[in-house]
Amino acid sequence: MNNITLQDLINLLEEYNPEEIGFVKKAYEYAEDLHSGQFRQSGEPYISHPLNVAYILAELHADRDTVCAGLLHDTLEDTEISKEDIAHDFNQDIANLVAGVTKLAKMNFSSKQEQNYANTRKIITGITEDVRIIIIKLADRLHNMRTLQFKSRFKQEENALETMEIFVPLAYYIGAYRIKSELEDLSLQYLRPDMYEKIKEKKLRVEEDSADCLKEMLSTIRNFLSDRRIPNEIKVRTKNIYGIYKRLNEGHKISDIHDLLSIKIMVDEIDNCYRTLGIIHSIYHPVNGKFKDYICNPKTNMYQSLHTTVFGPEDRLVQTQIRTFEMDKIASFGLTAYWDAEKGNARVVMQQDLKDKFQFFNSLLEMDAMFGDNQEFVRQVKSELFADKIYAYTTKGEILELPKGSTPIDFAYQLSTDIGNTMVGAFVNDEVVPIDYTLQNKDRVRIITDDLSFGSRDDWESKAHTSLAKRKIREFNRI
Ligand code: MN
């Protein structure tokens, strides 16, 4: 939406947090006053930026203090006011959030100076303090990317690159898919304008082309579900442009991207997800090997859904995604879905859940403890956390997510320290592999252990890829 006004923000708050409208209004007037006389490069009064940031946060149903911090997020940096003033005029919580965002403001991820590595480290580890700081930063970046056309060509590329390298992975890790997809598309638009336009064009054609087929499927499925009294909502979902770009880059043809358009079916409970799957397979022939159960095997950012690709009308291949309403909320908003579900308690639950359920969080703490040097820390985060992932199976059929480049050593330590320390070899897909074999997607891995083994050897550290494995090996060899 363009030209957001205070009234738009108020209308949004009216939907989920009407009792806080007065307080938020006060923050708006306060920020407007402080920024008066300042303008953005677009020529608009500066307040339009914090207002948009607050609006993006309110779309996520952020709590009152987060929305206010969004309105005030640039005041410490650009105006005369102090953190103490904000604490006095609002509250300590808002003051801390604004200060947290400001601390991260001057970072420049693409430059190679030590100062920047230090700042990048701050932004990444900021998530451990209060994840809301990162969410405000993501909203800030999203609005800056939406208005990037007013910047110089150099700034556009620099910002787009930085967005891809750091903000997209962070959005992925907290499960904020909507923000992630939009950031990806905006970045691609500046990094590869030619490709962006071309794919957009092609995507449009596929959409037009499949419109009838999807419409028919939608109504057929709807009827079947209603007959069986399964409460449902069905939508068509399209892959974002960057997602298509990535697949084309891997050598796929556009006609081979079966999830370019998919049908998203939401039902009331888990049992009904599997019933729906059965119904879908009884109407449309499934494609073998294209079924994924992310309900039993959630992604590490808590994404849950059933995916199956079927032969639709006119022999078109169509991916369907089946999940509960609850899961859909997590799929779109990730951790930020708690703002809605938990109301006043959201902050505590979010921080706790990060620790308990989001695997990347502990990897991050691991790296933070392990690397004193900022440059090494940033390099490790990029190669281990922000890089592509592979998914490998345990013998029990569980799925482990590991960074690309991982070896059976990493796999073993991910399972447990004991398994890592007593490992003597590994089978992958029933064949013996060297210990530094590079694991591939869908590999089935069996770690061979022997309680009498001498434990990890000295040269294992260099053969491991993850910080976790490297640290465990180091610890073991020190004893
Ligand atoms: Mn800003």
Side-chain angles (χ1 to χ4, degrees):
M1 203 186 334
N2 287 320
N3 299 323
I4 296 283
T5 63
L6 175 60
Q7 193 54 49
D8 294 323
L9 178 60
I10 290 171
N11 292 343
L12 204 50
L13 288 164
E14 194 77 59
E15 288 172 20
Y16 79 95
N17 214 357
E19 59 279 9
E20 304 292 2
I21 288 174
F23 198 86
V24 172
K25 233 169 155 174
K26 178 182 153 195
Y28 174 82
E29 280 153 13
Y30 193 88
E32 188 185 34
D33 189 41
L34 285 168
H35 286 298
S36 73
Q38 297 174 352
F39 294 90
R40 300 201 88 212
Q41 257 146 335
S42 61
E44 289 170 291
Y46 194 83
I47 188 68
S48 70
H49 168 61
L51 177 62
N52 271 281
V53 171
Y55 189 84
I56 293 167
L57 291 165
E59 283 180 313
L60 300 171
H61 289 190
D63 57 28
R64 179 197 72 187
D65 289 350
T66 307
V67 174
C68 289
L71 286 165
L72 297 165
H73 83 271
D74 276 333
T75 55
L76 285 185
E77 172 106 39
D78 300 338
T79 76
E80 293 301 302
I81 204 148
S82 70
K83 184 180 173 187
E84 288 68 35
D85 293 330
I86 296 179
H88 175 266
D89 296 336
F90 293 92
N91 62 43
Q92 194 60 50
D93 197 31
I94 296 179
N96 290 343
L97 288 171
V98 175
V101 175
T102 308
K103 213 169 61 175
L104 311 176
K106 286 194 177 123
M107 69 139 221
N108 179 345
F109 194 64
S110 41
S111 149
K112 300 273 174 278
Q113 283 147 26
E114 168 54 25
Q115 179 64 26
N116 293 319
Y117 287 118
N119 278 327
T120 306
R121 180 174 199 149
K122 267 191 218 154
I123 201 169
I124 297 167
T125 52
I127 212 165
T128 60
E129 251 172 66
D130 185 339
V131 67
R132 294 179 303 170
I133 294 172
I134 298 296
I135 299 170
I136 298 169
K137 199 67 203 162
L138 282 170
D140 178 41
R141 174 53 58 124
L142 182 56
H143 184 245
N144 284 333
M145 288 300 292
R146 283 178 183 170
T147 51
L148 206 56
Q149 71 265 35
F150 301 105
K151 298 274 184 192
S152 68
R153 185 82 200 110
F154 177 78
K155 270 270 156 217
Q156 288 175 346
E157 275 180 11
E158 191 182 59
N159 275 321
L161 212 59
E162 189 180 271
T163 298
M164 282 308 298
E165 285 196 315
I166 179 164
F167 291 99
V168 164
L170 283 174
Y172 168 80
Y173 275 118
I174 62 165
Y177 268 100
R178 286 201 188 171
I179 290 183
K180 171 186 168 274
S181 312
E182 192 180 342
L183 285 177
E184 283 175 338
D185 279 4
L186 285 164
S187 301
L188 186 66
Q189 200 178 332
Y190 289 99
L191 292 172
R192 295 295 310 271
D194 50 331
M195 281 305 271
Y196 179 86
E197 287 306 323
K198 230 162 113 186
I199 296 171
K200 197 173 151 188
E201 181 78 13
K202 278 189 190 169
K203 183 180 160 181
L204 213 67
R205 233 177 299 143
V206 174
E207 277 172 355
E208 284 170 4
D209 224 37
S210 339
D212 288 342
C213 157
L214 290 173
K215 220 170 126 192
E216 191 188 322
M217 280 183 83
L218 245 58
S219 80
T220 307
I221 296 169
R222 218 170 259 145
N223 287 338
F224 267 89
L225 292 178
S226 303
D227 282 351
R228 284 160 183 75
R229 296 184 194 288
I230 298 176
N232 67 84
E233 200 184 317
I234 310 180
K235 284 185 176 158
V236 174
R237 169 202 158 281
T238 57
K239 211 173 179 62
N240 71 344
I241 297 192
Y242 180 80
I244 301 171
Y245 168 78
K246 224 175 128 186
R247 296 287 283 278
L248 293 175
N249 253 0
E250 291 163 1
H252 297 275
K253 279 188 289 185
I254 195 141
S255 54
D256 292 341
I257 306 175
H258 304 313
D259 60 346
L260 196 144
L261 288 165
S262 47
I263 292 179
K264 184 168 87 176
I265 306 166
M266 290 159 287
V267 296
D268 57 341
E269 46 191 54
I270 292 185
D271 274 5
N272 280 335
C273 290
Y274 290 99
R275 281 183 71 199
T276 304
L277 177 75
I279 293 168
I280 299 287
H281 281 181
S282 70
I283 322 173
Y284 305 106
H285 220 82
V287 179
N288 262 348
K290 284 282 180 192
F291 170 67
K292 282 186 189 130
D293 188 337
Y294 293 117
I295 292 181
C296 282
N297 288 308
K299 290 192 186 180
T300 53
N301 61 11
M302 285 171 61
Y303 175 84
Q304 287 187 296
S305 197
L306 301 175
H307 290 188
T308 182
T309 301
V310 298
F311 289 89
E314 303 161 28
D315 296 331
R316 275 172 197 279
L317 295 181
V318 181
Q319 190 201 53
T320 61
Q321 305 181 349
I322 306 162
R323 50 190 181 244
T324 64
F325 294 109
E326 186 73 28
M327 290 170 188
D328 187 58
K329 227 168 179 183
I330 300 280
S332 305
F333 299 113
L335 201 56
T336 64
Y338 287 113
W339 267 321
D340 229 17
E342 298 285 338
K343 288 284 176 197
N345 201 28
R347 187 203 160 170
V348 179
V349 181
M350 277 157 108
Q351 216 61 29
Q352 191 57 44
D353 251 25
L354 262 181
K355 250 200 218 126
D356 298 344
K357 297 187 187 157
F358 287 69
Q359 186 185 310
F360 89 96
F361 188 79
N362 292 309
S363 308
L364 197 58
L365 292 178
E366 187 85 40
M367 286 177 222
D368 196 34
M370 200 163 155
F371 295 95
D373 183 75
N374 292 326
Q375 187 175 350
E376 274 180 43
F377 171 80
V378 172
R379 193 187 303 141
Q380 188 66 25
V381 168
K382 274 171 131 182
S383 79
E384 182 172 339
L385 278 185
F386 290 3
D388 284 345
K389 306 278 181 291
I390 60 121
Y391 299 88
Y393 290 98
T394 67
T395 45
K396 291 195 184 85
E398 282 169 289
I399 295 176
L400 291 194
E401 180 186 285
L402 292 158
K404 222 177 194 167
S406 292
T407 65
I409 303 174
D410 298 297
F411 190 95
Y413 278 105
Q414 183 99 315
L415 286 173
S416 85
T417 307
D418 258 2
I419 295 181
N421 285 342
T422 55
M423 167 176 180
V424 288
F427 282 85
V428 168
N429 307 329
D430 301 323
E431 289 190 31
V432 182
V433 294
I435 209 125
D436 58 353
Y437 165 86
T438 305
L439 291 171
Q440 309 293 317
N441 239 343
K442 295 182 188 168
D443 274 350
R444 276 179 299 113
V445 185
R446 186 149 62 95
I447 303 295
I448 312 300
T449 58
D450 182 347
D451 289 342
L452 300 174
S453 88
F454 294 107
S456 56
R457 322 251 176 76
D458 289 342
D459 66 335
W460 279 18
E461 196 181 326
S462 64
K463 290 175 176 169
H465 184 69
T466 58
S467 312
L468 176 80
K470 283 178 193 283
R471 179 172 63 80
K472 296 282 182 193
I473 293 165
R474 223 180 278 175
E475 276 172 9
F476 183 88
N477 287 332
R478 218 178 285 143
I479 301 166

